[in-house]
Amino acid sequence: MTRSKILSLQEATRHCLQAREGGKKIVLANGCFDLLHVGHIRYLEGARAMGDVLVVAVNSDESVRCLKDAGRPLLPETARAEIVAALECVDFVVLFPELTVEKVLQSLRPDVHAKGTDYTEESVPERELVKAYGGRVTIVGDPKKHSTRDLIRKILETKK
């Protein structure tokens, strides 16, 4: 069941079109999800509350290597996608190789682009793109008190 929720961008676009035709509101969330923690769960549950269908775009291994610290990702993209897909609040997962989620947004055209609290609505890089096609940006989740980077540091300190 979990793996069947992992789709190509083309498949996800088709599913979103069908859902939208059925009157459903589409929400997109995105991230690396390298080491799943409570902040991720709260972000994704908050995103799901914004609509009827939650699609999560997960950064590919190559894009994580470009965006994060050395040694990342910890888990390969297929494992990260499967873990995110296993969450009840997630309807579909797509992997994306780009450094930004713009191509996914252009294809899916979600009603809502949900970002975490490390952003403001004004600082979301894709804000103008979302507004241009008639979507909206929203900030969800709890205050940024959790990070994979901090969790990795704590694990390494505990090991010493």
Side-chain angles (χ1 to χ4, degrees), residues 1-158:
M1 168 76 173
T2 298
R3 289 188 187 161
S4 66
K5 291 167 66 173
I6 303 169
L7 306 176
S8 68
L9 182 55
Q10 184 178 13
E11 291 169 324
T13 300
R14 192 169 43 252
H15 280 281
C16 287
L17 283 172
Q18 291 171 346
R20 190 172 287 111
E21 287 171 0
K24 306 271 185 185
K25 183 187 282 188
I26 311 300
V27 180
L28 177 72
N30 69 285
C32 298
F33 304 101
D34 198 12
L35 188 56
L36 204 62
H37 56 70
V38 70
H40 291 131
I41 301 302
R42 292 172 182 163
Y43 164 53
L44 294 174
E45 287 179 341
R48 178 68 164 116
M50 296 290 111
D52 304 304
V53 176
L54 176 59
V55 181
V56 181
V58 175
N59 289 81
S60 70
D61 289 346
E62 186 60 36
S63 64
V64 174
R65 279 191 281 278
C66 291
L67 294 168
K68 299 294 181 178
D69 299 330
R72 303 273 302 275
L74 299 173
L75 297 173
E77 61 193 39
T78 54
R80 291 182 288 114
E82 190 170 339
I83 290 167
V84 171
L87 298 173
E88 185 178 346
C89 63
V90 175
D91 293 293
F92 302 111
V93 172
V94 296
L95 286 163
F96 71 102
E98 298 83 15
L99 296 181
T100 71
V101 75
E102 287 181 1
K103 182 177 177 184
V104 176
L105 286 164
Q106 289 169 336
S107 185
L108 299 181
R109 299 174 72 86
D111 301 286
V112 178
H113 179 36
K115 296 296 276 186
T117 57
D118 44 340
Y119 291 91
T120 65
E121 288 184 21
E122 294 74 31
S123 72
V124 172
E126 307 86 10
R127 180 174 68 104
E128 292 305 317
L129 169 63
V130 174
K131 285 173 56 178
Y133 70 72
R136 72 181 177 96
V137 170
T138 188
I139 306 302
V140 298
D142 64 352
K144 185 75 171 173
K145 295 180 183 176
H146 322 278
S147 77
T148 300
R149 182 178 290 120
D150 290 344
L151 193 51
I152 291 168
R153 184 172 38 252
K154 187 172 184 175
I155 290 168
L156 292 173
E157 288 171 0
T158 304

